[in-house]
Amino acid sequence: TSCSTIPLREKADSLFLITDNVNVYYDLKRPDDKHFLPYVLTEVSGLTLHNDTRILCVEDEGGRVYEYDLQSKKIINAITFSDPGDFEGVEVVNDTIYVLESDGDLYQFPYTTEDIAQKPIKYENPLSRKNDTEGLGYNPKTRRLMISCKEEEDIKGVNAKGKTVYEFDIHTKELVRNPMYELTASQMDTFFEANRDYTYDKDRIKFEPSGIAYNPLDGYYYLLASVGKMLIVLDDKGSIKATYPIAPRILSQPEGIVFDSKGNLYISSEGEGDRGYIILFKPKHK
């Protein structure tokens, strides 16, 4: 069976690797560095940068945020904020940490190096478990958090279409009801057909977002999917600018994504019973 999947993967690469409309691109087949994480982060599900050398990671089931030093390649800090749950994303804004649960709830607590369990503020909102919220990022243009939905796109009072990204206002502490993005299958089909001689089985295109991040180098938003193994680049208006297929041999279950100030791309993957890891991809310019 492995021999039969190779042509399909190559065909997916040739059809879905589209970077014609961007000046900055990434070679996702050739990582620039790989960090194997300690076993406490086997199920790493989200990450954010505290600064350009330190990454904050959250593990799927544990109520702790771990600070990983990219230079020493060690965990240097851990912040307990909750009992075990189903945590999917983490973001830090001005030394305030936000953690996303799969039902859309957000936990807020201060960054600290003290070995004291935090008592977070919990924000419930119209999102729910049916949305299966997996991605959390920060939008510096609106100064809001971005939340991507893996499953259902609707919330009460909103009939959305496609895979949605909502924003959470960290000042009013409320969810913005109008989606930031509504990425539809037809929009993806149109993009692929416009850029390729489309002969691929459309039913094979699956895209269930697991992470989102803003790239300060090009000003675009990168939406990551573990189910579907793809990275989609969007502009402010929701137009697709580029797409990248993800090779499972390099990223088996990609769920966390973040950029540093220089546009270096970090993607984390669960270890599937082994150690989780973070891969670095440096930007390339045309």
Side-chain angles (χ1 to χ4, degrees):
T1 56
S2 61
C3 293
S4 64
T5 60
I6 293 175
L8 289 175
R9 191 69 239 171
E10 291 177 350
K11 195 171 185 180
D13 288 348
S14 65
L15 286 171
F16 301 145
L17 178 59
I18 302 172
T19 60
D20 309 61
N21 303 316
V22 294
N23 294 321
V24 175
Y25 68 100
Y26 298 84
D27 189 344
L28 299 189
K29 283 191 172 182
R30 293 175 175 82
D32 292 283
D33 199 0
K34 186 172 184 177
H35 298 258
F36 286 101
L37 300 171
Y39 284 103
V40 292
L41 286 167
T42 295
E43 296 188 29
V44 58
S45 57
L47 71 162
T48 184
L49 278 166
H50 189 217
N51 56 48
D52 279 359
T53 62
R54 295 181 179 181
I55 282 185
L56 299 181
C57 309
V58 68
E59 194 262 348
D60 197 343
E61 297 178 356
R64 304 186 90 187
V65 169
Y66 297 89
E67 186 170 11
Y68 177 81
D69 189 288
L70 292 166
Q71 295 177 334
S72 66
K73 298 191 175 184
K74 295 179 180 178
I75 290 176
I76 59 171
N77 186 25
I79 306 170
T80 301
F81 69 93
S82 173
D83 294 330
D86 187 9
F87 305 107
E88 300 291 349
V90 60
E91 188 59 66
V92 60
V93 183
N94 297 328
D95 276 344
T96 296
I97 297 175
Y98 299 88
V99 174
L100 175 71
E101 204 163 12
S102 62
D103 61 0
D105 289 348
L106 284 165
Y107 294 76
Q108 174 190 317
F109 51 94
Y111 169 84
T112 182
T113 56
E114 296 182 4
D115 189 19
I116 301 174
Q118 298 300 300
K119 296 181 179 179
I121 302 172
K122 183 178 179 180
Y123 299 106
E124 297 181 353
N125 55 69
L127 293 165
S128 66
R129 194 166 297 282
K130 70 177 185 178
N131 301 114
D132 196 4
T133 52
E134 285 210 356
L136 183 67
Y138 179 67
N139 186 352
K141 295 182 181 180
T142 61
R143 299 181 182 178
R144 296 168 176 166
L145 297 175
M146 301 178 290
I147 301 174
S148 61
C149 299
K150 180 181 178 182
E151 297 294 342
E152 292 189 26
E153 57 270 8
D154 293 344
I155 58 174
K156 186 176 181 180
V158 177
N159 184 20
K161 297 178 181 179
K163 295 301 179 181
T164 51
V165 175
Y166 289 92
E167 287 189 299
F168 181 85
D169 193 315
I170 59 178
H171 302 290
T172 64
K173 311 302 182 185
E174 293 182 352
L175 189 78
V176 179
R177 301 186 70 84
N178 291 327
M180 176 183 175
Y181 290 129
E182 298 177 66
L183 185 62
T184 65
S186 62
Q187 182 183 357
M188 294 174 63
D189 287 339
T190 299
F191 178 79
F192 293 134
E193 289 173 356
N195 288 275
R196 292 289 183 268
D197 181 12
Y198 204 93
T199 57
Y200 199 67
D201 182 3
K202 295 182 181 181
D203 292 335
R204 288 186 60 85
I205 299 176
K206 293 184 178 180
F207 188 79
E208 299 180 4
S210 54
I212 186 169
Y214 171 79
N215 186 349
L217 193 59
D218 60 16
Y220 293 142
Y221 302 86
Y222 287 61
L223 196 57
L224 174 71
S226 180
V227 177
K229 293 293 187 295
M230 192 173 293
L231 183 63
I232 293 184
V233 183
L234 300 163
D235 66 12
D236 291 324
K237 297 180 180 179
S239 298
I240 300 175
K241 304 300 291 185
T243 55
Y244 298 85
I246 294 173
R249 64 182 176 81
I250 295 176
L251 287 159
S252 61
Q253 194 172 338
E255 293 192 351
I257 178 171
V258 71
F259 294 87
D260 68 14
S261 62
K262 298 177 182 177
N264 292 312
L265 168 61
Y266 295 89
I267 299 178
S268 64
S269 175
E270 292 188 10
E272 296 185 347
D274 204 347
R275 297 167 70 181
Y277 53 91
I278 297 172
I279 292 185
L280 163 66
F281 302 94
K282 294 182 178 181
K284 303 183 185 305
H285 301 266
K286 293 183 179 178

